[in-house]
Amino acid sequence: MILVFVLLMAAMNGRAQMQQADDDAKYATELLKPGTQVPDFKLKTPEGKAVKLSKLIKGKYAVIDFWASWCPDCRKDMPNVQRMYKDFAPRGVEFVGVSFDTEAESWQKAIEKYNIRYTQVSELKKMRDSEVAKAFGVKWIPSMMLVDPQGKVVLSTVLSDKMEKTLTETLAVKREIAGTTERLTIDGGKGTLAAILQKPALEAGQKCPMVVFCHGFGASKEGPLFEIIADSLQACGIASIRFDFNGHGESQGDFVDMTVPNEIEDAMKVIEYVRDLRYVSSVSLVGHSQGGVVASMTAGKLEPGDIAAVALMAPAAVLRDDAIRGSTMGATYNPLDPPEYVELWGGKRLGREYIRTAFWLPIYETAAKYQGPAIIVHGTADRVVPYTYGERYKTVWPNAEVEILDAQDHGFSQNIYRATRLVSDFLIRELRSEVKK
């Protein structure tokens, strides 16, 4: 793993974790702490049925969601809660909504509006007067608690992304994925490229789609962002290859010689390699950060139909504007007369050719020539690449899906599973017809 990437991601993840800690430090200070036995209550549903919490959640993992129909943040968060219910209820997780509505009619209308299917109860009292709020330490809504099968608190938070991440990790089951994983090298534009190829189990003569992953500035092929997607694809009969660009990770070349055009050349070499594999039926692209720019431009440079689908994660199309401003990854320079190289942290050097080529790089214009299926996933808390650069792809790819994730950073560290699932689901859906049932 390249040091530059480690430091960059550590800084981004640190800021994201600080932001999450700040939110919980502000609003979740009095919520029950992990390890605490949850108090019992007996409240009524909208239909007037009395429900006892201990009986409802006995022996199960349970999410208790504190909310109210009058709460704007609760309404904004409801799609996240509904998605969690849809994903985790079939796996045995009980969901319980505790409303601080005071009017039964408003409460019922909200339940109907959002099509809430899990158990809802209320005292029909204001939060400050609620005995349940006092017992659970609820001072802010939305608030959520995850309770284990023994009735003890696992997590108390005001962040639904944190709840989803914790649920995913708590209920994760290690599984063996049929197929093979191979480390190999491919001839790139400036030396050999180190790669990891994951292939599903195939019958003799059977073909499958191939997905090529393009990592970001200073990053590498390793790490959970791409690994989670690659495993999901392999489990669904789709092959993938992720590789280190020249001057990165285990590939040859010097970082100072890295440019976006050369990374496009590397991507083309990898595509050429996988196209020659007898079992590959089509090629798709996934790119994160600068790799998103490379993926979009590579798709645009190829012939229509050459690329089956494209997924961009926090695409760093800001890199051209950064070069024009004379500021890349915190290093400043004269963009009209750049030096031979610019010092970055960790001893890395940004070369003059990178700046010169980035200054004139026709990112959106080149990408526009691709008009196939696409998804763009970006976070509103991305401080490396503002999410508007991801949204702008919609102007050149009018049929693309755009998913803007609230409060997610450049590496989607608040809930990496949300971003990776969006990409995996998109690719599996688009490539389904090529996968043998």
Side-chain angles (χ1 to χ4, degrees):
M1 178 77 70
I2 283 187
L3 180 59
V4 108
F5 175 64
V6 172
L7 293 175
L8 174 62
M9 292 306 294
M12 290 190 300
N13 291 344
R15 286 196 295 271
Q17 290 164 5
M18 285 174 60
Q19 180 62 50
Q20 286 199 332
D22 286 348
D23 288 343
D24 276 345
K26 288 178 182 178
Y27 308 118
T29 54
E30 297 187 42
L31 289 173
L32 297 179
K33 300 298 186 286
T36 305
Q37 193 77 28
V38 293
D40 203 1
F41 62 66
K42 190 174 185 179
L43 297 177
K44 290 184 178 181
T45 67
E47 296 77 28
K49 179 183 176 182
V51 174
K52 193 171 185 179
L53 178 67
S54 57
K55 185 175 181 181
L56 185 65
I57 69 173
K58 184 178 180 180
K60 304 176 182 178
Y61 278 100
V63 173
I64 306 174
D65 177 35
F66 300 96
W67 73 293
S69 66
W70 48 260
C71 166
D73 287 339
C74 299
R75 296 194 297 269
K76 180 180 178 182
D77 218 28
M78 188 55 69
N80 285 348
V81 182
Q82 290 283 64
R83 185 180 65 254
M84 281 189 277
Y85 170 69
K86 180 180 178 182
D87 290 346
F88 295 104
R91 297 165 67 181
V93 178
E94 191 70 44
F95 281 71
V96 185
V98 179
S99 169
F100 295 120
D101 278 280
T102 58
E103 297 178 1
E105 185 178 355
S106 299
W107 179 33
Q108 182 65 51
K109 283 183 177 178
I111 292 172
E112 293 172 359
K113 177 180 179 180
Y114 295 108
N115 194 29
I116 300 174
R117 300 295 182 89
Y118 51 91
T119 303
Q120 288 289 320
V121 295
S122 178
E123 296 168 274
L124 292 179
K125 292 181 180 179
K126 293 180 180 179
M127 188 163 58
R128 65 172 177 264
D129 299 326
S130 165
E131 294 302 319
V132 170
K134 294 173 186 176
F136 285 78
V138 179
K139 299 292 185 181
W140 177 272
I141 53 175
S143 289
M144 309 182 82
M145 286 185 190
L146 175 61
V147 181
D148 70 14
Q150 289 72 48
K152 293 185 178 180
V153 176
V154 176
L155 172 71
S156 292
T157 183
V158 299
L159 300 158
S160 59
D161 269 325
K162 186 184 287 188
M163 177 59 71
E164 185 175 2
K165 184 173 185 285
T166 302
L167 276 169
T168 302
E169 293 172 347
T170 300
L171 300 177
V173 177
K174 189 178 175 90
R175 57 177 178 167
E176 293 295 327
I177 302 174
T180 59
T181 298
E182 176 187 3
R183 288 184 176 265
L184 50 91
T185 58
I186 300 169
D187 289 334
K190 291 182 180 294
T192 59
L193 307 175
I196 300 174
L197 191 153
Q198 290 185 226
K199 176 185 174 184
L202 299 174
E203 298 174 3
Q206 184 181 352
K207 291 179 177 286
C208 72
M210 173 69 72
V211 175
V212 177
F213 289 89
C214 302
H215 67 71
F217 183 102
S220 80
K221 64 184 179 300
E222 313 290 348
L225 192 65
F226 286 171
E227 288 173 7
I228 293 170
I229 301 171
D231 286 347
S232 297
L233 296 177
Q234 185 177 358
C236 291
I238 300 171
S240 68
I241 187 167
R242 52 192 195 274
F243 66 97
D244 293 329
F245 284 113
N246 68 88
H248 292 73
E250 299 174 313
S251 290
Q252 292 181 342
D254 295 323
F255 187 85
V256 72
D257 296 324
M258 179 267 298
T259 67
V260 174
N262 180 240
E263 291 198 342
I264 293 172
E265 184 182 2
D266 283 346
M268 292 285 198
K269 294 282 189 180
V270 174
I271 292 170
E272 181 181 344
Y273 173 84
V274 296
R275 276 179 173 167
D276 285 341
L277 298 175
R278 288 179 295 175
Y279 61 84
V280 172
S281 58
S282 70
V283 178
S284 296
L285 295 171
V286 174
H288 174 244
S289 193
Q290 182 166 290
V293 171
V294 172
S296 68
M297 294 183 70
T298 300
K301 283 178 173 289
L302 292 169
E303 294 297 319
D306 282 354
I307 299 298
V310 176
L312 309 182
M313 307 179 76
V318 70
L319 66 87
R320 180 183 179 184
D321 289 344
D322 285 346
I324 292 170
R325 283 190 296 266
S327 177
T328 298
M329 295 295 180
T332 58
Y333 46 82
N334 178 359
L336 301 179
D337 185 22
E340 180 181 352
Y341 60 82
V342 177
E343 293 283 357
L344 299 175
W345 61 95
K348 296 297 175 185
R349 294 174 172 179
L350 184 70
R352 176 190 291 143
E353 197 60 22
Y354 179 94
I355 297 167
R356 284 178 170 172
T357 54
F359 193 98
W360 298 104
L361 201 63
I363 298 173
Y364 296 106
E365 296 87 343
T366 303
K369 296 172 185 176
Y370 171 79
Q371 290 294 305
I375 188 172
I376 298 95
V377 182
H378 217 135
T380 61
D382 191 336
R383 298 296 176 261
V384 178
V385 182
Y387 73 91
T388 52
Y389 284 89
E391 282 187 322
R392 188 176 166 188
Y393 273 95
K394 186 72 172 174
T395 65
V396 297
W397 292 344
N399 297 318
E401 301 174 27
V402 179
E403 295 283 352
I404 304 300
L405 305 184
D406 189 43
Q408 291 271 353
D409 64 15
H410 193 61
F412 306 100
S413 65
Q414 287 83 356
N415 183 10
I416 193 173
Y417 308 107
R418 174 68 176 140
T420 53
R421 180 169 177 177
L422 283 167
V423 172
S424 299
D425 286 353
F426 164 78
L427 291 169
I428 292 166
R429 184 179 72 245
E430 291 297 329
L431 304 176
R432 183 185 297 124
S433 63
E434 300 178 47
V435 179
K436 184 175 180 180
K437 302 296 186 291

